[in-house]
Amino acid sequence: MIRLVAGNWKMNGSLAANRVLLDGLGALPGVETAVCVPYPYLAQLQQRPEGLALGAQDVSEYVAGAYTGEVGGSMLADFGCRYVIVGHSERRALFGEDDLTVGRKARAALEAGLVPIVCVGETLDERDAGNALVVIDRQLGAVREVLGVAAMGGVVVAYEPVWAIGSGRSASVEQVAEVHVAIRAWLREQGVAAGGVRILYGGSVKPDNAAALFAVVDVDGGLIGGASLVAQDFMAICRAAAEAA
Ligand code: PGA
């Protein structure tokens, strides 16, 4: 399975800054690369380095109509998006998205021909209470409940421990291994074609820890926040993923 490295620009960028960043990006053999950008920049990203896939950071659970402020999956597809992040912990924590909403967003993405990158992960309190895997089972279970088993095989899962996001403190390789192996096993138990589902790790992935994280069992790529805003760092992480093959 070819690894996927997806940049999550979050609410960052400007036409001018994006142009500079894009100049430093390019596709690499042996790894799939994508950038998930704010909606207004999807138009700008129609011109981008060849082989770099495009994604968004959210999608409406609705198809079209009277939903002021929402952006539908078909609109993202119109702009050539292949991926869309759903259920990022910032959306869950700051914008009240619950597990089933995330499931409906994943369904809307698939129905529009997009690949949802479904984010799951525990808070530090949940980890300290020994509940990391329980939380992840619950989050994934809601998505499976909405999608059904067959469609679940068409998603990308991103394990992003909330405490590792933007903190400069990535999960350890042991912690990542435990969760990724558990996610793959959970998918298999549910009857999902688990071998084909890419499981990304996200949370303070940087050039200096990327190789170690991509070498972990069942890590099929990364979801990169802060480091995706620095071309050199993002490319170094993509190179680490290509070389980990
Ligand atoms: P980070 O963010 O790489 O800045 O920790 C990851 C994410 O939120 O997807």
Side-chain angles (χ1 to χ4, degrees):
M1 189 159 37
I2 184 156
R3 285 188 175 77
L4 168 64
V5 177
N8 173 12
W9 288 5
K10 308 196 181 187
M11 198 173 77
N12 293 295
S14 67
L15 289 172
N18 300 347
R19 217 168 289 125
V20 174
L21 178 52
L22 285 168
D23 272 348
L25 302 183
L28 289 173
V31 61
E32 190 182 348
T33 53
V35 284
C36 298
V37 308
Y39 293 142
Y41 299 127
L42 290 172
Q44 183 186 20
L45 269 283
Q46 299 304 291
Q47 311 254 304
R48 62 182 182 274
E50 205 183 321
L52 178 68
L54 185 59
Q57 301 169 14
D58 188 22
V59 64
S60 179
E61 63 185 278
Y62 305 108
V63 174
Y67 301 102
T68 302
E70 289 285 272
V71 174
S74 67
M75 299 171 182
L76 302 181
D78 232 0
F79 279 87
C81 283
R82 171 161 173 73
Y83 294 102
V84 60
I85 297 169
V86 298
H88 190 281
S89 64
E90 288 152 16
R91 300 233 39 101
R92 293 176 188 262
L94 303 173
F95 303 99
E97 290 187 14
D98 62 21
D99 297 335
L100 286 172
T101 303
V102 174
R104 290 191 296 271
K105 289 186 170 196
R107 182 175 62 196
L110 287 167
E111 284 171 354
L114 305 167
V115 178
I117 300 175
V118 178
C119 299
V120 298
E122 79 288 357
T123 63
L124 193 55
D125 283 351
E126 289 164 339
R127 170 160 288 271
D128 287 345
N131 287 333
L133 295 178
V134 176
V135 169
I136 292 161
D137 278 14
R138 190 201 73 220
Q139 291 170 332
L140 285 176
V143 176
R144 192 234 36 224
E145 192 180 319
V146 176
L147 295 188
V149 165
M152 191 79 189
V155 312
V156 170
V157 175
Y159 168 52
E160 296 209 309
V162 178
W163 48 273
I165 294 174
S167 66
R169 175 185 161 207
S170 117
S172 70
V173 294
E174 292 79 13
Q175 289 168 327
V176 173
E178 185 197 15
V179 173
H180 281 239
V181 167
I183 290 173
R184 183 96 60 208
W186 183 91
L187 289 166
R188 203 171 289 121
E189 278 161 28
Q190 303 292 314
V192 177
V197 176
R198 285 188 287 198
I199 307 174
L200 313 183
Y201 168 76
S204 298
V205 180
K206 304 290 174 200
D208 63 358
N209 62 14
L213 289 164
F214 294 141
V216 173
V217 59
D218 282 322
V219 173
D220 308 311
L223 184 56
I224 318 302
S228 75
L229 298 172
V230 181
Q232 205 168 292
D233 289 359
F234 187 65
M235 292 309 295
I237 292 167
C238 292
R239 213 169 303 116
E243 285 164 5

